[in-house]
Amino acid sequence: MAKKVTKIGVLTSGGDSPGMNAAIRAVVRTGLYYGMEVFGIMRGYAGIIENDIVPMHSRSVANIIQRGGTVLKTARCKEFMQPEGRKKAYDNLKALGIDGLVVIGGDGSFRGADIFSREFDIPCIGLPGTIDKDIAGTDFTIGFDTAVNTAVEAIDKIRDTADAHDRLFIIEVMGRDAGYIALHSGIATGAEHILIPERKTDIEELIVSLQEKERRKKLVNMVVVAEGEEFGGANEVAKVVKERLPSADTRVCILGHIQRGGAPTCLDRLIASRMGFAAVECLIQGKHNVMVGIVNNKLQYTLLEKAVKSKQRIGEDWIKMVKILAS
Ligand code: F6P
């Protein structure tokens, strides 16, 4: 029989993502509803090690569902990767009587939670909070939808000015090793080319295609490049394009951290709320080492180690569609 969880801690870790606040709010209010004591841990795992842990009340999470960033702040904590760091963290949690953790973050954060939960008797539940959507066992991660919509808004604006000047734009979006932001924002903005890490970049094919477009006087072209794309990102691609297509008026735009901020979309608020609520129910049911995901609009639970190991794949049908629609 799993021990009854009565005091839980919630933290955000790794890169922030819009919707993390909505998830924190859901965890806090659901925990309180079930009679638990809920603690907010500041700056991810660093806050456990440094004992920066504060009691949370219903009002602590008022007026945050619509805010980007994370009220608990976040960090990437090297010390937690070491056994001594995790032992220190455990001692601090034990001293406060915290017997369950909800970790909102991406794959690095889940790896930490998985090891910690195996080493010590503290169940950890993960919520996928990352704009990259590079986690298996869920259709969406908290923040992805907002980031993509931010990218779409920016690319639409860039197209306006590209159109006015007859320019070729090479636009880099985030996503670390994953191409989902590029793929989704590229399709939604009608990008002529999308380069993603999941596919080998055929630079020759890109050049030939742009040359062919130039011949038929199609001068406004948007190339959306994922930052993890193997050729080296927008700047590297632009170097070759400028060399091989000197007549094109080429510009580079790196969207950067703008994609991580801003008010979460309705979808991100919704999935964050569902996942946060489900995380507390997981702890009550005695689940541990699982990530809460949503697949086909239903809650799904995946072992943390599986969620980080088995990456999602981008199917050939997507790639085919991109080519046809952008022709
Ligand atoms: O994982 C989220 C993410 O925004 C990635 O898309 C990006 O590669 C990385 O974090 C940037 O990290 P930092 O904010 O530490 O530069």
Side-chain angles (χ1 to χ4, degrees), residues 76 131-132 174-176 227 257 260:
R76 295 190 173 101
I131 63 166
D132 302 338
M174 274 188 169
R176 205 180 285 276
E227 65 174 344
H257 287 78
R260 282 234 302 255

Side-chain angles (χ1 to χ4, degrees), residues 8-218:
I8 63 171
V10 55
L11 62 87
T12 48
S13 163
D16 61 300
S17 64
M20 279 184 163
N21 281 327
I24 296 167
R25 171 179 177 269
V27 171
V28 171
R29 293 206 170 152
T30 309
L32 296 173
Y33 170 81
Y34 283 115
M36 295 169 165
E37 277 182 64
V38 186
F39 294 84
I41 299 164
M42 303 304 294
R43 291 171 295 106
Y45 295 120
I48 321 185
I49 294 173
E50 292 159 25
N51 222 350
D52 197 356
I53 301 173
V54 290
M56 302 288 276
H57 312 286
S58 187
R59 303 320 304 158
S60 323
V61 290
N63 200 18
I64 66 167
I65 193 169
Q66 77 282 19
R67 284 167 56 191
T70 157
V71 291
L72 294 178
K73 298 193 180 284
T74 184
R76 295 190 173 101
C77 178
K78 287 210 174 84
E79 214 184 330
F80 198 72
M81 292 177 193
Q82 306 304 321
E84 304 78 44
R86 293 193 294 274
K87 172 74 173 70
K88 221 164 153 188
Y90 174 73
D91 289 343
N92 287 338
L93 290 182
K94 204 75 196 158
L96 283 169
I98 294 177
D99 47 13
L101 267 190
V102 178
V103 172
I104 309 165
D107 53 356
S109 314
F110 287 176
R111 273 189 204 101
D114 193 41
I115 302 177
F116 188 62
S117 191
R118 285 169 197 277
E119 283 175 344
F120 302 102
D121 57 340
I122 300 213
C124 292
I125 305 297
L127 300 189
T130 166
I131 63 166
D132 302 338
K133 201 172 101 74
D134 55 349
I135 288 182
T138 186
D139 289 343
F140 289 99
T141 57
I142 298 165
F144 173 74
D145 187 59
T146 308
V148 166
N149 276 290
T150 300
V152 165
E153 202 184 324
I155 298 169
D156 282 348
K157 287 180 177 169
I158 294 170
R159 193 182 274 281
D160 286 347
T161 170
D163 190 56
H165 287 267
D166 279 340
R167 278 180 174 159
L168 159 61
F169 262 89
I170 303 179
I171 303 162
E172 185 175 295
V173 296
M174 274 188 169
R176 205 180 285 276
D177 303 325
Y180 289 99
I181 299 181
L183 186 72
H184 286 226
S185 64
I187 292 171
T189 55
E192 280 70 17
H193 293 274
I194 303 172
L195 307 182
I196 53 175
E198 291 80 359
R199 304 274 301 177
K200 205 173 153 37
T201 295
D202 189 339
I203 199 80
E204 196 53 37
E205 185 188 278
L206 174 72
I207 300 291
V208 169
S209 166
L210 290 172
Q211 284 169 339
E212 185 273 323
K213 287 185 174 80
E214 194 175 57
R215 272 197 295 279
R216 58 179 163 96
K217 301 272 179 292
K218 183 184 179 338

Side-chain angles (χ1 to χ4, degrees), residues 221-292:
N221 290 293
M222 314 293 275
V223 181
V224 175
V225 182
E227 65 174 344
E229 167 278 333
E230 53 131 44
F231 200 75
N235 282 320
E236 291 306 309
V237 172
K239 266 190 213 159
V240 182
V241 169
K242 284 179 181 171
E243 213 177 278
R244 302 276 307 276
L245 250 106
S247 48
D249 195 3
T250 305
R251 292 289 187 279
V252 172
C253 182
I254 302 199
L255 295 189
H257 287 78
I258 188 174
Q259 296 158 94
R260 282 234 302 255
T265 58
C266 173
L267 179 65
D268 275 329
R269 297 179 201 194
L270 196 70
I271 63 169
S273 301
R274 279 181 82 186
M275 289 173 177
F277 176 79
V280 176
E281 296 211 317
C282 280
L283 288 170
I284 292 170
Q285 291 155 9
K287 288 194 174 74
H288 58 99
N289 285 29
V290 294
M291 179 199 79
V292 179

